[in-house]
Amino acid sequence: MNAITLVIGAICILVIAYRFYGIFFTKKVLKINEDKPTPAHEKNDGQDYVPTNRWVAFGHHFAAIAAAGPLVGPILAAQFGYLPGYLWLLIGAVIGGAVHDAVVLFASMTKGGKSLSEVMREELGPVAGFCTGLAMLFIITITMAGLSMVILGALAENPWGTFAVAATIPIAMLMGLINKFTGNLKLSTIIGVVLLVAAVFYGPSIQGTWLGEVLTLDRETLSILLPIYAFFAAALPIWFLLAPRDYLSSFMKIGVFIALIIGVFIINPTIQFPAIIPDFLGGGGPIVAGPVWPFVSITIACGAISGFHAFVGSGTTPKMLNRWEDIRVVGFGAMLVECVVGVMALIAATVLHPGDYFAINSTPEKFATLGMSVVDLPALSEAIGMDLEGRTGGAVTLAVGMASIFAGVEWFSHLTAYFYQFVIMFEAVFILTAIDAGTRTARYLIQDFLGNVYKPLKKTDWLPGAIGASALACVMWGYLLNSGDIASVWALFGVSNQLMASIGLVCGVTFVLKIADKRIYVLTCFIPLVYLYITVNVAGFWMVKNVYWNSMAGGYNILNGILSIIMLTLGLIIVITSFIKWRELWAHPRFKKQATAN
């Protein structure tokens, strides 16, 4: 199998889906129009509610949703072969992910930019609202820990990569200041891109210096610094760090993957993985412990359908959109672009020899039991200047896979180390942008949730509340980050994330039943909801039984099992409450009139 075939097939399907299904869903099902101003105009406060150019909003939204998920998930799921992940990415994104993102964004904007928990409270009552808020708080905490876990393996003992990533913070702040006081987006973009490239190429010169020693950090130190950074990012005004870096990193990410697509067309690498690896379909793999179903749909979340998108779609993005029509570009479109990222990540992993792939993503002890041997990895390690074996988490695999593709271009082969560090940087930057947006969303959730007890907390611009809620959010996910490994935390993230996506689709079913002209339109949300809800429950109980509460398993963790049970129970309560509301909406007189007319 050649990589070009997979790329062309994916792009064609996604373009057709955006052109036809995207217009149908936004125009016919959601009935989007410009009859009233968006929340960004109604509540413009210069900090959270800010009317934003659609492409800047797209950049923020895409950067926030397309963090580690579409990069890491497909790479980890390659354990089953390339076909299960490829099919799930395309089917999940078109049928589920794009619909989910657009409808949650629409619902939040309809309610003035409120969080999903507030929307569910107004639509389904206090029980569903409380359970949604509590579930979202659990899920966003686990999500931040899962995303942050990916950074640790890539930046640990890597001063070059750490310097490049750290440099993006002042670069983004400079861009924010230029945008704020001059409004010159083109100038800030040029300055940001130039400084970003300069940071990567300057990186090698710090090695062996005092600065290089300061930035040579172990996993434990990084796991403490990340929550501290997130605290400041969540408390600062959105225009100062969050929006400009999201915008910059979106250009970087899209640019890198366009370059990768061009590289695939020029080099046409061969997919070295088989379509299916039978040994691991039933479970017992070294990376993903469970069977291909339901775990391919749990391991690959972002890129197909992801509950984390509901946090962004009912957090920062609905407070930024300038026009209602921007929902199709920002909500529906960004999800499909993210699917392309997921497909390219899958290709980057599967062009590696399976032995090299498993050597990177397994511990040396586990790899020794697989009966495999490395092929190209020693040469790649020498070219990059790092030992690559046992660097689990997926980030290193992506960087190695992309570097190996471009190594096929003769003039590029001597720049392998630079490209590897650049890919590490842009992966880390995207994870940090998701941490920025996710922690800020967690701050909103905490303020919403605790604001029912102490009213001033409801005000997002109240400084003591913003600082206190940001600190609490960082402490919670920072604790999880410091108490697990990628195998246990990513699986917990996957289950919680897809449960959140189910809750977002529950909201979608409710809104479509309220506003749609035809009952059948509800299937746009109901079909993906049924599949995803069954999948997440099977996966959740499998993990509790076979891993979290199994003292013989490597991921044995009582706390993770308790969190899983609590989340699945909250999801069940929400679904039961929703069915009661759906029965009322289904019996609405307008539907009966339509049935009589037909």
Side-chain angles (χ1 to χ4, degrees):
M1 171 66 72
N2 292 326
I4 287 179
T5 305
L6 299 181
V7 175
I8 292 177
I11 291 176
C12 289
I13 289 171
L14 296 174
V15 168
I16 292 171
Y18 179 77
R19 175 63 182 83
F20 295 102
Y21 195 39
I23 292 176
F24 166 76
F25 186 72
T26 54
K27 293 288 189 180
K28 295 291 187 180
V29 179
L30 299 182
K31 299 193 294 187
I32 286 175
N33 57 61
E34 302 294 338
D35 290 345
K36 63 177 182 177
T38 64
H41 287 282
E42 288 183 326
K43 302 182 179 183
N44 190 347
D45 60 9
Q47 179 160 328
D48 293 314
Y49 289 86
V50 181
T52 306
N53 175 281
R54 73 158 65 180
W55 297 113
V56 175
F58 176 93
H60 155 72
H61 185 79
F62 177 72
I65 65 172
L71 303 176
V72 175
I75 288 172
L76 301 181
Q79 169 191 281
F80 302 116
Y82 71 81
L83 188 58
Y86 184 74
L87 292 177
W88 167 241
L89 280 165
L90 294 177
I91 296 171
V94 173
I95 304 299
V99 167
H100 168 275
D101 290 12
V103 78
V104 169
L105 184 55
F106 172 80
S108 179
M109 290 177 66
T110 301
K111 298 295 183 180
K114 291 181 179 179
S115 69
L116 187 58
S117 62
E118 289 290 303
V119 172
M120 295 287 275
R121 181 180 292 110
E122 292 186 15
E123 293 298 317
L124 299 173
V127 174
F130 174 83
C131 290
T132 301
L134 191 57
M136 290 177 73
L137 200 51
F138 275 116
I139 292 166
I140 195 69
T141 300
I142 295 167
T143 299
M144 293 300 95
L147 295 178
S148 301
M149 187 70 69
V150 178
I151 295 181
L152 302 184
L155 296 185
E157 312 297 337
N158 182 5
W160 182 356
T162 302
F163 170 79
V165 171
T168 64
I169 298 173
I171 292 172
M173 289 180 172
L174 177 61
M175 290 179 63
L177 290 171
I178 294 173
N179 289 336
K180 179 72 172 178
F181 295 107
T182 70
N184 194 329
L185 181 62
K186 184 177 180 180
L187 174 64
S188 69
T189 302
I190 293 172
I191 291 174
V193 171
V194 170
L195 291 176
L196 200 66
V197 173
V200 175
F201 278 88
Y202 183 73
S205 64
I206 72 165
Q207 299 184 97
T209 67
W210 68 270
L211 182 58
E213 292 179 6
V214 170
L215 295 178
T216 303
L217 306 173
D218 57 26
R219 295 175 66 97
E220 290 72 22
T221 304
L222 285 168
S223 64
I224 294 172
L225 291 177
L226 284 174
I228 293 174
Y229 156 78
F231 165 75
F232 289 101
L236 288 170
I238 197 169
W239 61 265
F240 188 44
L241 175 60
L242 181 64
R245 191 165 67 177
D246 288 353
Y247 171 74
L248 177 63
S249 58
S250 287
F251 273 101
M252 181 171 62
K253 191 168 200 174
I254 293 173
V256 168
F257 276 92
I258 288 175
L260 180 58
I261 291 172
I262 293 172
V264 166
F265 275 86
I266 293 174
I267 301 165
N268 191 17
T270 301
I271 302 294
Q272 299 200 57
F273 270 56
I276 294 173
I277 300 179
D279 292 348
F280 304 134
L281 290 183
I287 302 165
V288 180
V292 64
W293 186 85
F295 282 94
V296 70
S297 299
I298 297 300
T299 306
I300 302 177
C302 301
I305 179 170
S306 168
F308 177 70
H309 298 191
F311 292 100
V312 182
S314 67
T316 52
T317 303
K319 300 174 177 65
M320 299 170 66
L321 291 198
N322 187 46
R323 300 174 67 246
W324 289 90
E325 288 286 344
D326 294 345
I327 289 176
R328 181 161 66 95
V329 175
V330 176
F332 203 96
M335 178 65 244
L336 299 184
V337 175
E338 185 187 36
C339 180
V340 176
V341 173
V343 169
M344 298 311 298
L346 180 66
I347 288 172
T350 54
V351 296
L352 296 175
H353 189 279
D356 296 341
Y357 165 86
F358 283 105
I360 296 172
N361 287 284
S362 308
T363 63
E365 297 77 18
K366 187 67 176 179
F367 181 69
T369 67
L370 299 180
M372 298 180 179
S373 58
V374 296
V375 179
D376 301 316
L377 197 58
L380 288 168
S381 295
E382 182 178 355
I384 291 169
M386 292 178 61
D387 181 13
L388 300 173
E389 293 189 30
R391 286 185 173 263
T392 59
V396 171
T397 305
L398 177 65
V400 172
M402 292 178 70
S404 69
I405 290 174
F406 281 97
V409 180
E410 184 177 352
W411 58 265
F412 179 80
S413 58
H414 66 286
L415 296 175
T416 302
Y418 286 92
F419 191 77
Y420 172 85
Q421 294 293 356
F422 182 79
V423 174
I424 290 295
M425 180 192 69
F426 101 84
E427 287 182 274
V429 166
F430 262 79
I431 294 169
L432 290 179
T433 56
I435 290 172
D436 294 351
T439 305
R440 183 176 287 267
T441 302
R443 178 197 122 196
Y444 295 152
L445 284 171
I446 291 171
Q447 289 186 258
D448 273 343
F449 203 67
L450 298 182
N452 295 318
V453 179
Y454 185 61
K455 295 297 182 184
L457 280 171
K458 288 279 187 180
K459 300 177 181 179
T460 58
D461 58 351
W462 185 50
L463 189 58
I467 291 174
S470 298
L472 180 57
C474 293
V475 168
M476 290 192 301
W477 69 256
Y479 172 79
L480 276 180
L481 176 62
N482 283 274
S483 62
D485 57 24
I486 187 65
S488 60
V489 173
W490 192 265
L492 183 63
F493 157 68
V495 170
S496 63
N497 191 50
Q498 300 303 57
L499 178 62
M500 189 67 244
S502 300
I503 295 172
L505 289 170
V506 165
C507 176
V509 170
T510 306
F511 263 80
V512 173
L513 280 174
K514 282 185 64 178
I515 66 174
D517 293 329
K518 299 178 181 179
R519 279 175 172 168
I520 196 171
Y521 288 169
V522 78
L523 293 179
T524 56
C525 293
F526 188 72
I527 288 175
L529 169 61
V530 170
Y531 171 79
L532 201 61
Y533 186 67
I534 293 173
T535 298
V536 77
N537 277 275
V538 172
F541 284 111
W542 191 96
M543 287 298 297
V544 171
K545 177 184 176 183
N546 295 285
V547 180
Y548 299 142
W549 289 357
N550 179 5
S551 59
M552 303 300 292
Y556 176 68
N557 190 310
I558 296 294
L559 176 61
N560 286 354
I562 293 172
L563 290 175
S564 298
I565 294 296
I566 291 174
M567 289 186 298
L568 294 176
T569 302
L570 291 171
L572 180 61
I573 295 171
I574 293 168
V575 168
I576 292 173
T577 306
S578 302
F579 265 109
I580 297 172
K581 179 67 174 181
W582 295 344
R583 288 181 61 186
E584 297 174 6
L585 294 172
W586 189 264
H588 195 280
R590 79 174 189 279
F591 285 136
K592 292 182 178 180
K593 290 179 182 178
Q594 290 169 8
T596 303
N598 292 334

